[in-house]
Amino acid sequence: MQFEKPKMNIKAVIFDLDGVLVNTDEFHYQAWKELADELGIPFDRNINERLRGVSRMESLEVILEQSAKNFTQQEKMLLTDKKNERYRALLNDLSADDVLPGVISFINNLNRINIKMAIGSSSKNAPLILEKTSLDSLFDVVIDGNQISRSKPHPEVFLKAAQQLGEKPEACLVVEDADAGVEAALRAGMRVLAVGAAASNPKVHFAASNLIEFIGQIPKNSFKSKHII
Ligand code: B16
Ligand code: MG
């Protein structure tokens, strides 16, 4: 792991949602897999990796690359609606128990040193997920798929979050699990902590398998207000 410079002066942290705060990425996979099986289109976990962080319609386009049939825009809308219906049914039992390891402790530590926090997610289901997991009250700003017109790797979601937090991009750290999200954060001019699937991305500033591991390796003075733990 490399540190850009000893003092990073991070004043705000922008969290991706699916795959960073909550394990909903598995439910996305299940819902897409059921749809692909129904359509007789090959779909596996390797292809699924390309769907991380990208919008619902762009995800469908990736899946349809494996199909010989052409679908009209209306058919595509019906397919994304169907996938979303199934995905939301899978989210039904979601609760605070589904928040990923280290998340609450990391947020509490950031709160203690007055670091601002935002959500920067491509998901239009973010409000439902935040409510079901009781994470909704913990963030100063939430920017999700309902408020952006260009999905990751476009930097719009993170730039909007920084703007609403009142911070410059260079003062923000983005936590991401998707290569598309890492790219979006870098294009926004922000520092990136990659967790999970994106942890092997060579472009990031920090990498860890999850937030528990990251808390144990934070360099002193990374954050504006003393150090995090
Ligand atoms: P929805 P994130 C992204 O959320 C997911 O990673 C991606 O797999 C999904 O297609 C996208 O949200 C749209 O989600 O269908 O719920 O609007 O990782 O940016 O928090
Ligand atoms: Mg994600």
Side-chain angles (χ1 to χ4, degrees), residues 16-96:
D16 170 61
L17 179 59
D18 290 328
V20 167
L21 300 182
V22 190
N23 219 355
T24 39
D25 44 349
E26 186 58 29
F27 295 143
H28 277 296
Y29 172 70
Q30 277 184 44
W32 283 126
K33 179 70 181 150
E34 283 177 27
L35 184 78
D37 285 352
E38 219 176 285
L39 295 168
I41 299 173
F43 179 65
D44 58 20
R45 287 182 184 274
N46 275 337
I47 301 173
N48 186 55
E49 286 304 308
R50 291 176 55 203
L51 311 187
R52 281 185 192 276
V54 304
S55 72
R56 203 177 303 161
M57 186 52 84
E58 285 168 292
S59 299
L60 178 68
E61 297 286 1
V62 171
I63 291 168
L64 295 184
E65 282 173 18
Q66 311 299 317
S67 169
K69 183 177 178 294
N70 281 324
F71 292 83
T72 64
Q73 209 48 39
Q74 202 188 356
E75 285 171 328
K76 287 178 189 174
M77 295 286 283
L78 290 173
L79 292 176
T80 51
D81 285 352
K82 189 168 189 181
K83 181 266 174 179
N84 196 47
E85 209 175 295
R86 181 64 186 130
Y87 176 60
R88 285 177 74 97
L90 291 168
L91 291 180
N92 216 17
D93 296 332
L94 200 70
S95 73

XYZ file of all heavy atoms in Angstrom, residues 16-96:
666
model
N -19.609 4.998 -1.220
C -20.485 4.252 -2.116
C -21.407 3.422 -1.204
O -21.091 3.222 -0.028
C -19.592 3.353 -2.984
C -20.386 2.360 -3.783
O -21.202 2.792 -4.587
O -20.190 1.140 -3.589
N -22.521 2.938 -1.722
C -23.450 2.191 -0.855
C -23.369 0.674 -1.071
O -22.847 -0.056 -0.218
C -24.883 2.695 -1.100
C -26.002 2.026 -0.300
C -25.787 2.164 1.198
C -27.358 2.613 -0.690
N -23.838 0.215 -2.241
C -23.855 -1.230 -2.516
C -22.425 -1.769 -2.533
O -21.601 -1.325 -3.319
C -24.480 -1.511 -3.898
C -25.974 -1.233 -3.939
O -26.634 -1.423 -2.911
O -26.476 -0.839 -4.999
N -22.143 -2.726 -1.663
C -20.817 -3.347 -1.643
C -19.825 -2.652 -0.734
O -18.724 -3.165 -0.519
N -20.177 -1.478 -0.213
C -19.276 -0.773 0.725
C -19.911 -0.706 2.116
O -19.288 -1.062 3.116
C -18.926 0.647 0.227
C -18.268 1.472 1.325
C -17.984 0.556 -0.970
N -21.164 -0.243 2.168
C -21.850 -0.140 3.469
C -22.745 -1.349 3.711
O -22.915 -1.788 4.845
C -22.690 1.144 3.524
C -21.918 2.462 3.353
C -22.861 3.647 3.485
C -20.785 2.578 4.364
N -23.312 -1.862 2.632
C -24.272 -2.974 2.740
C -23.983 -3.995 1.645
O -23.584 -3.635 0.535
C -25.731 -2.468 2.566
C -26.715 -3.571 2.924
C -26.008 -1.244 3.419
N -24.221 -5.269 1.987
C -23.906 -6.345 1.058
C -24.995 -6.588 0.013
O -25.316 -7.733 -0.286
C -23.708 -7.630 1.869
C -22.586 -8.446 1.312
O -22.033 -8.084 0.270
N -22.263 -9.543 1.950
N -25.554 -5.545 -0.548
C -26.648 -5.703 -1.503
C -26.163 -6.194 -2.861
O -26.985 -6.577 -3.698
C -27.370 -4.350 -1.686
O -26.386 -3.342 -1.686
C -28.358 -4.096 -0.577
N -24.843 -6.164 -3.089
C -24.324 -6.590 -4.400
C -24.722 -8.040 -4.718
O -24.962 -8.388 -5.860
C -22.810 -6.368 -4.532
C -22.020 -6.792 -3.320
O -22.629 -7.078 -2.273
O -20.789 -6.850 -3.416
N -24.834 -8.873 -3.680
C -25.233 -10.263 -3.892
C -26.698 -10.342 -4.361
O -27.042 -11.155 -5.222
C -25.024 -11.055 -2.589
C -25.269 -12.557 -2.682
C -24.416 -13.280 -3.721
O -23.287 -12.824 -4.015
O -24.893 -14.304 -4.269
N -27.550 -9.480 -3.832
C -28.962 -9.464 -4.252
C -29.093 -8.979 -5.701
O -29.929 -9.476 -6.450
C -29.808 -8.574 -3.341
C -29.909 -9.065 -1.925
C -29.919 -8.178 -0.860
C -30.005 -10.420 -1.649
C -30.018 -8.619 0.447
C -30.108 -10.881 -0.338
C -30.111 -9.974 0.717
N -28.259 -7.981 -6.080
C -28.258 -7.550 -7.487
C -27.923 -8.758 -8.368
O -28.586 -9.001 -9.380
C -27.182 -6.486 -7.738
C -27.580 -5.089 -7.377
N -28.597 -4.418 -8.005
C -27.071 -4.220 -6.473
C -28.709 -3.194 -7.501
N -27.795 -3.053 -6.567
N -26.880 -9.501 -7.974
C -26.454 -10.657 -8.775
C -27.592 -11.666 -8.908
O -27.905 -12.119 -10.012
C -25.213 -11.328 -8.155
C -24.876 -12.624 -8.853
C -24.370 -12.620 -10.150
C -25.130 -13.861 -8.247
C -24.101 -13.804 -10.825
C -24.870 -15.048 -8.909
C -24.358 -15.015 -10.187
O -24.107 -16.194 -10.865
N -28.215 -12.007 -7.785
C -29.299 -13.006 -7.819
C -30.430 -12.574 -8.743
O -30.953 -13.368 -9.521
C -29.880 -13.182 -6.421
C -29.095 -14.133 -5.555
C -29.798 -14.336 -4.212
O -31.001 -14.505 -4.142
N -29.032 -14.283 -3.143
N -30.831 -11.303 -8.651
C -31.953 -10.811 -9.456
C -31.603 -10.809 -10.948
O -32.406 -11.221 -11.789
C -32.356 -9.417 -8.993
N -30.373 -10.375 -11.284
C -29.949 -10.402 -12.696
C -29.828 -11.834 -13.204
O -30.167 -12.138 -14.345
C -28.603 -9.686 -12.880
C -28.648 -8.194 -12.876
C -27.909 -7.358 -12.081
C -29.426 -7.329 -13.724
N -28.197 -6.053 -12.374
C -29.123 -5.998 -13.383
C -30.371 -7.558 -14.735
C -29.708 -4.895 -14.010
C -30.960 -6.467 -15.360
C -30.635 -5.154 -15.003
N -29.317 -12.717 -12.340
C -29.111 -14.120 -12.739
C -30.451 -14.767 -13.086
O -30.576 -15.467 -14.097
C -28.403 -14.871 -11.598
C -28.150 -16.349 -11.858
C -27.094 -16.572 -12.921
C -26.878 -18.064 -13.189
N -26.466 -18.326 -14.571
N -31.480 -14.513 -12.252
C -32.807 -15.084 -12.522
C -33.344 -14.579 -13.857
O -33.893 -15.344 -14.651
C -33.788 -14.713 -11.409
C -33.565 -15.551 -10.159
C -34.479 -15.137 -9.006
O -35.574 -14.604 -9.271
O -34.078 -15.344 -7.852
N -33.162 -13.285 -14.117
C -33.652 -12.706 -15.372
C -32.906 -13.304 -16.571
O -33.507 -13.697 -17.573
C -33.481 -11.182 -15.353
C -34.046 -10.459 -16.566
C -35.571 -10.338 -16.467
C -33.449 -9.059 -16.705
N -31.583 -13.380 -16.458
C -30.766 -13.909 -17.558
C -31.128 -15.369 -17.831
O -31.267 -15.782 -18.995
C -29.284 -13.770 -17.225
N -31.321 -16.161 -16.767
C -31.691 -17.575 -16.938
C -33.019 -17.688 -17.672
O -33.186 -18.521 -18.576
C -31.798 -18.278 -15.577
C -30.419 -18.555 -14.972
O -29.405 -18.340 -15.679
O -30.352 -18.975 -13.798
N -33.964 -16.841 -17.289
C -35.287 -16.845 -17.911
C -35.198 -16.532 -19.415
O -35.925 -17.088 -20.228
C -36.106 -15.758 -17.226
C -37.545 -16.119 -16.993
C -38.211 -14.992 -16.233
O -37.966 -14.868 -15.024
O -38.954 -14.227 -16.864
N -34.266 -15.639 -19.760
C -34.100 -15.236 -21.164
C -33.158 -16.175 -21.925
O -32.939 -16.016 -23.120
C -33.538 -13.809 -21.243
C -34.423 -12.682 -20.700
C -33.615 -11.396 -20.566
C -35.624 -12.460 -21.618
N -32.558 -17.135 -21.195
C -31.604 -18.060 -21.814
C -30.303 -17.380 -22.205
O -29.631 -17.780 -23.159
N -29.916 -16.342 -21.455
C -28.674 -15.614 -21.748
C -27.610 -16.030 -20.734
O -27.861 -16.002 -19.527
C -28.911 -14.085 -21.662
C -29.956 -13.657 -22.704
C -27.612 -13.313 -21.846
C -30.380 -12.200 -22.576
N -26.413 -16.426 -21.217
C -25.365 -16.807 -20.263
C -24.968 -15.628 -19.374
O -24.757 -14.516 -19.882
C -24.177 -17.227 -21.143
C -24.634 -17.137 -22.547
C -25.977 -16.491 -22.605
N -24.911 -15.867 -18.069
C -24.538 -14.801 -17.128
C -23.892 -15.458 -15.918
O -24.431 -16.401 -15.354
C -25.792 -14.015 -16.704
C -25.514 -12.917 -15.707
C -24.739 -11.818 -16.054
C -26.031 -12.980 -14.414
C -24.481 -10.798 -15.139
C -25.783 -11.966 -13.495
C -25.011 -10.875 -13.861
N -22.702 -14.991 -15.557
C -22.041 -15.573 -14.391
C -21.405 -14.465 -13.545
O -21.539 -13.277 -13.853
C -20.985 -16.608 -14.825
C -19.931 -15.992 -15.738
O -19.773 -14.748 -15.737
O -19.256 -16.743 -16.462
N -20.705 -14.869 -12.488
C -20.147 -13.883 -11.561
C -19.043 -13.028 -12.203
O -18.804 -11.914 -11.782
C -19.634 -14.578 -10.292
C -20.786 -15.040 -9.427
C -20.335 -15.681 -8.136
N -21.492 -16.185 -7.425
C -22.243 -15.449 -6.602
N -21.924 -14.201 -6.360
N -23.291 -15.979 -6.002
N -18.377 -13.585 -13.226
C -17.356 -12.783 -13.922
C -17.999 -11.609 -14.641
O -17.549 -10.472 -14.537
C -16.616 -13.626 -14.964
C -15.478 -14.374 -14.329
O -14.989 -13.957 -13.276
N -15.074 -15.461 -14.939
N -19.077 -11.906 -15.384
C -19.789 -10.823 -16.086
C -20.375 -9.865 -15.050
O -20.355 -8.644 -15.218
C -20.894 -11.382 -17.019
C -20.277 -12.321 -18.065
C -21.653 -10.244 -17.713
C -21.278 -13.059 -18.935
N -20.861 -10.425 -13.948
C -21.477 -9.605 -12.892
C -20.520 -8.532 -12.365
O -20.952 -7.439 -11.989
C -21.916 -10.516 -11.741
C -22.682 -9.767 -10.687
O -23.678 -9.103 -10.983
N -22.209 -9.828 -9.459
N -19.228 -8.827 -12.363
C -18.248 -7.836 -11.872
C -18.321 -6.537 -12.677
O -18.040 -5.467 -12.163
C -16.822 -8.403 -11.932
C -16.522 -9.432 -10.855
C -16.778 -8.900 -9.446
O -16.264 -7.835 -9.101
O -17.540 -9.557 -8.696
N -18.701 -6.651 -13.956
C -18.791 -5.448 -14.815
C -20.007 -4.585 -14.483
O -20.139 -3.476 -14.976
C -18.832 -5.868 -16.292
C -17.500 -6.451 -16.767
C -17.599 -6.938 -18.197
N -18.062 -5.913 -19.111
C -18.646 -6.161 -20.288
N -18.824 -7.412 -20.683
N -19.039 -5.180 -21.059
N -20.917 -5.113 -13.660
C -22.141 -4.371 -13.328
C -21.970 -3.509 -12.075
O -22.814 -2.668 -11.776
C -23.320 -5.330 -13.096
C -23.544 -6.415 -14.154
C -24.840 -7.156 -13.860
C -23.579 -5.821 -15.550
N -20.891 -3.752 -11.340
C -20.681 -2.995 -10.095
C -20.617 -1.492 -10.370
O -19.823 -1.054 -11.190
C -19.363 -3.398 -9.436
C -19.425 -4.669 -8.674
C -18.110 -4.947 -7.953
N -18.107 -6.318 -7.466
C -18.654 -6.700 -6.320
N -19.213 -5.814 -5.532
N -18.616 -7.960 -5.950
N -21.448 -0.747 -9.675
C -21.387 0.710 -9.743
C -22.062 1.336 -10.951
O -22.242 2.540 -10.985
N -22.432 0.529 -11.957
C -23.064 1.126 -13.149
C -24.587 1.057 -13.036
O -25.130 0.247 -12.302
C -22.567 0.497 -14.481
C -21.060 0.577 -14.601
C -23.027 -0.933 -14.632
N -25.274 1.905 -13.783
C -26.733 2.031 -13.625
C -27.461 0.751 -14.048
O -26.898 -0.121 -14.706
C -27.241 3.203 -14.456
O -27.175 2.857 -15.825
N -28.737 0.716 -13.693
C -29.568 -0.456 -13.986
C -29.615 -0.736 -15.490
O -29.406 -1.862 -15.934
C -30.975 -0.192 -13.443
C -31.782 -1.429 -13.176
C -33.125 -1.032 -12.582
N -33.006 -0.251 -11.373
C -33.982 0.516 -10.867
N -35.154 0.589 -11.472
N -33.787 1.199 -9.750
N -29.893 0.304 -16.294
C -30.020 0.101 -17.741
C -28.672 -0.286 -18.357
O -28.605 -1.175 -19.216
C -30.587 1.367 -18.413
C -30.897 1.214 -19.878
S -31.958 -0.205 -20.297
C -33.610 0.438 -20.032
N -27.596 0.341 -17.899
C -26.269 -0.027 -18.430
C -25.913 -1.465 -18.039
O -25.241 -2.169 -18.790
C -25.209 0.949 -17.908
C -25.274 2.301 -18.601
C -24.423 3.348 -17.897
O -24.780 3.727 -16.764
O -23.416 3.772 -18.465
N -26.370 -1.881 -16.865
C -26.135 -3.269 -16.442
C -26.830 -4.228 -17.396
O -26.258 -5.234 -17.825
C -26.677 -3.501 -15.026
O -26.023 -2.672 -14.104
N -28.086 -3.903 -17.743
C -28.830 -4.758 -18.685
C -28.099 -4.824 -20.024
O -27.979 -5.902 -20.621
C -30.257 -4.232 -18.886
C -31.088 -5.039 -19.882
C -31.412 -6.439 -19.345
C -32.369 -4.312 -20.256
N -27.597 -3.678 -20.484
C -26.885 -3.648 -21.772
C -25.689 -4.602 -21.740
O -25.407 -5.290 -22.724
C -26.399 -2.229 -22.108
C -27.499 -1.199 -22.286
C -28.281 -1.322 -23.602
O -27.986 -2.243 -24.390
O -29.205 -0.501 -23.801
N -24.976 -4.649 -20.624
C -23.825 -5.562 -20.497
C -24.301 -7.011 -20.615
O -23.720 -7.820 -21.343
C -23.088 -5.336 -19.148
C -22.043 -6.424 -18.908
C -22.445 -3.953 -19.114
N -25.415 -7.335 -19.934
C -25.944 -8.701 -19.967
C -26.396 -9.073 -21.388
O -26.127 -10.171 -21.881
C -27.110 -8.848 -18.960
C -26.554 -8.760 -17.535
C -27.868 -10.163 -19.158
C -27.590 -8.595 -16.457
N -27.028 -8.114 -22.072
C -27.562 -8.394 -23.428
C -26.466 -8.545 -24.479
O -26.732 -9.021 -25.593
C -28.561 -7.304 -23.847
C -29.852 -7.214 -23.007
C -30.795 -6.160 -23.585
C -30.558 -8.560 -22.901
N -25.241 -8.180 -24.135
C -24.120 -8.405 -25.076
C -24.004 -9.891 -25.421
O -23.515 -10.260 -26.483
C -22.784 -7.968 -24.441
C -22.543 -6.474 -24.435
C -21.287 -6.104 -23.646
O -20.438 -6.987 -23.394
O -21.175 -4.917 -23.270
N -24.448 -10.752 -24.490
C -24.344 -12.207 -24.697
C -25.540 -12.774 -25.462
O -25.625 -13.983 -25.658
C -24.260 -12.944 -23.343
C -23.253 -12.389 -22.359
C -21.842 -12.449 -22.897
O -21.436 -13.452 -23.480
N -21.091 -11.372 -22.709
N -26.492 -11.911 -25.847
C -27.706 -12.392 -26.514
C -27.660 -12.092 -28.013
O -27.246 -11.012 -28.419
C -28.925 -11.713 -25.889
O -30.071 -11.956 -26.664
N -28.158 -13.044 -28.820
C -28.206 -12.840 -30.267
C -29.402 -11.977 -30.653
O -29.432 -11.368 -31.709
C -28.288 -14.193 -30.968
N -30.406 -11.954 -29.749
C -31.648 -11.234 -30.054
C -31.497 -9.732 -29.796
O -30.765 -9.318 -28.898
C -32.745 -11.801 -29.138
C -34.116 -11.228 -29.360
C -35.123 -11.944 -28.441
C -36.523 -11.419 -28.552
N -36.857 -10.135 -28.150
N -32.174 -8.937 -30.633
C -32.204 -7.484 -30.391
C -33.457 -7.121 -29.611
O -34.544 -7.627 -29.918
C -32.209 -6.718 -31.717
C -30.817 -6.669 -32.309
O -29.839 -6.571 -31.574
N -30.734 -6.770 -33.623
N -33.315 -6.266 -28.625
C -34.457 -5.859 -27.804
C -34.774 -4.393 -28.058
O -33.859 -3.575 -28.225
C -34.129 -6.053 -26.315
C -33.990 -7.494 -25.915
C -32.800 -8.177 -26.116
C -35.062 -8.186 -25.346
C -32.662 -9.515 -25.762
C -34.935 -9.522 -24.982
C -33.733 -10.183 -25.187
N -36.063 -4.062 -28.107
C -36.454 -2.659 -28.278
C -36.254 -1.940 -26.942
O -36.123 -2.580 -25.881
C -37.947 -2.533 -28.666
O -38.731 -3.023 -27.570
C -38.264 -3.313 -29.933
N -36.288 -0.612 -27.002
C -36.125 0.185 -25.785
C -37.233 -0.138 -24.783
O -36.998 -0.233 -23.581
C -36.135 1.679 -26.158
C -35.341 2.572 -25.228
C -33.944 2.045 -24.916
O -33.234 1.496 -25.775
N -33.530 2.182 -23.660
N -38.450 -0.367 -25.325
C -39.578 -0.676 -24.452
C -39.385 -2.034 -23.762
O -39.667 -2.182 -22.568
C -40.861 -0.690 -25.289
C -42.082 -0.458 -24.423
C -43.366 -0.655 -25.217
O -43.338 -0.895 -26.439
N -44.483 -0.559 -24.546
N -38.886 -3.003 -24.531
C -38.620 -4.327 -23.938
C -37.547 -4.224 -22.855
O -37.643 -4.852 -21.793
C -38.159 -5.305 -25.038
C -39.287 -5.780 -25.934
C -38.799 -6.576 -27.146
O -37.683 -6.312 -27.664
O -39.547 -7.453 -27.602
N -36.546 -3.388 -23.128
C -35.468 -3.221 -22.141
C -36.012 -2.609 -20.853
O -35.613 -3.002 -19.749
C -34.357 -2.344 -22.713
C -33.511 -3.049 -23.766
C -32.462 -2.100 -24.320
C -31.756 -2.687 -25.519
N -30.838 -1.731 -26.146
N -36.933 -1.655 -21.017
C -37.535 -1.028 -19.823
C -38.292 -2.072 -18.998
O -38.209 -2.098 -17.777
C -38.518 0.086 -20.225
C -37.882 1.258 -20.923
S -36.966 2.305 -19.815
C -38.302 3.160 -19.044
N -39.022 -2.942 -19.706
C -39.790 -3.977 -18.999
C -38.847 -4.934 -18.266
O -39.124 -5.353 -17.145
C -40.663 -4.768 -19.985
C -41.849 -3.996 -20.573
C -42.557 -4.801 -21.654
C -42.858 -3.614 -19.466
N -37.703 -5.232 -18.918
C -36.739 -6.151 -18.292
C -36.097 -5.522 -17.052
O -35.936 -6.184 -16.023
C -35.656 -6.556 -19.307
C -36.141 -7.444 -20.476
C -35.007 -7.698 -21.460
C -36.705 -8.775 -19.954
N -35.737 -4.229 -17.140
C -35.133 -3.592 -15.954
C -36.166 -3.464 -14.832
O -35.835 -3.622 -13.657
C -34.514 -2.205 -16.276
O -35.476 -1.417 -16.967
C -33.242 -2.318 -17.089
N -37.433 -3.207 -15.211
C -38.487 -3.133 -14.180
C -38.634 -4.482 -13.474
O -38.784 -4.551 -12.252
C -39.846 -2.777 -14.806
C -39.927 -1.295 -15.180
O -39.003 -0.534 -14.818
O -40.907 -0.917 -15.855
N -38.596 -5.543 -14.269
C -38.749 -6.885 -13.714
C -37.599 -7.211 -12.762
O -37.800 -7.733 -11.669
C -38.768 -7.893 -14.871
C -39.137 -9.281 -14.449
C -39.431 -10.140 -15.655
C -40.011 -11.459 -15.204
N -40.294 -12.348 -16.316
N -36.380 -6.883 -13.225
C -35.212 -7.128 -12.361
C -35.344 -6.344 -11.063
O -35.080 -6.852 -9.973
C -33.922 -6.741 -13.100
C -32.649 -6.988 -12.294
C -32.197 -5.769 -11.523
C -31.022 -6.053 -10.615
N -30.574 -4.857 -9.879
N -35.788 -5.089 -11.186
C -35.870 -4.251 -9.984
C -36.934 -4.757 -9.015
O -36.742 -4.712 -7.799
C -36.160 -2.795 -10.367
C -35.876 -1.860 -9.226
O -34.823 -1.951 -8.587
N -36.817 -0.989 -8.900
N -38.022 -5.266 -9.565
C -39.078 -5.817 -8.712
C -38.525 -6.988 -7.898
O -38.735 -7.096 -6.696
C -40.201 -6.302 -9.616
C -41.573 -6.251 -8.994
C -42.615 -6.632 -10.022
O -42.776 -5.888 -11.017
O -43.222 -7.683 -9.842
N -37.784 -7.853 -8.577
C -37.196 -9.022 -7.903
C -36.148 -8.578 -6.876
O -36.092 -9.087 -5.764
C -36.557 -9.947 -8.966
C -35.937 -11.177 -8.407
C -36.978 -12.089 -7.746
N -36.338 -13.207 -7.089
C -36.589 -13.585 -5.821
N -37.490 -12.954 -5.102
N -35.960 -14.606 -5.297
N -35.327 -7.592 -7.278
C -34.283 -7.071 -6.378
C -34.924 -6.503 -5.101
O -34.491 -6.791 -3.992
C -33.476 -6.002 -7.115
C -32.431 -5.299 -6.275
C -31.388 -6.011 -5.678
C -32.479 -3.917 -6.084
C -30.431 -5.356 -4.910
C -31.534 -3.269 -5.323
C -30.508 -3.990 -4.736
O -29.564 -3.346 -3.976
N -35.997 -5.725 -5.275
C -36.651 -5.113 -4.108
C -37.306 -6.178 -3.223
O -37.354 -6.026 -2.003
C -37.666 -4.052 -4.548
C -36.956 -2.777 -5.011
C -37.934 -1.754 -5.516
N -38.697 -1.108 -4.477
C -38.416 0.075 -3.929
N -37.348 0.731 -4.325
N -39.176 0.606 -3.001
N -37.772 -7.272 -3.823
C -38.330 -8.363 -3.016
C -37.205 -8.987 -2.182
O -37.394 -9.318 -1.003
C -38.972 -9.407 -3.916
N -36.022 -9.124 -2.792
C -34.882 -9.687 -2.048
C -34.433 -8.753 -0.921
O -33.862 -9.193 0.071
C -33.709 -9.964 -3.003
C -33.923 -11.116 -4.004
C -32.841 -11.103 -5.080
C -33.932 -12.461 -3.284
N -34.682 -7.446 -1.104
C -34.280 -6.469 -0.063
C -35.257 -6.449 1.121
O -34.994 -5.799 2.128
C -34.240 -5.045 -0.650
C -33.163 -4.700 -1.669
C -33.308 -3.250 -2.108
C -31.763 -4.943 -1.114
N -36.348 -7.159 0.972
C -37.419 -7.108 1.969
C -36.943 -7.360 3.404
O -37.372 -6.676 4.328
C -38.490 -8.137 1.598
C -39.855 -7.617 1.930
O -40.021 -6.403 2.127
N -40.818 -8.497 2.025
N -36.076 -8.353 3.557
C -35.633 -8.707 4.913
C -34.372 -7.959 5.337
O -33.781 -8.280 6.366
C -35.347 -10.220 4.998
C -36.615 -11.019 4.779
O -37.698 -10.484 5.093
O -36.518 -12.153 4.273
N -33.937 -6.986 4.542
C -32.718 -6.245 4.870
C -32.902 -5.510 6.203
O -33.964 -4.954 6.474
C -32.468 -5.222 3.758
C -31.055 -4.673 3.620
C -30.131 -5.764 3.102
C -31.038 -3.486 2.644
N -31.847 -5.535 7.038
C -31.938 -4.848 8.335
C -30.551 -4.327 8.707
O -29.583 -4.517 7.962
C -32.417 -5.818 9.413
O -31.363 -6.711 9.715
N -30.457 -3.731 9.875
C -29.167 -3.204 10.349
C -28.119 -4.318 10.442
O -26.914 -4.049 10.380
C -29.365 -2.518 11.694
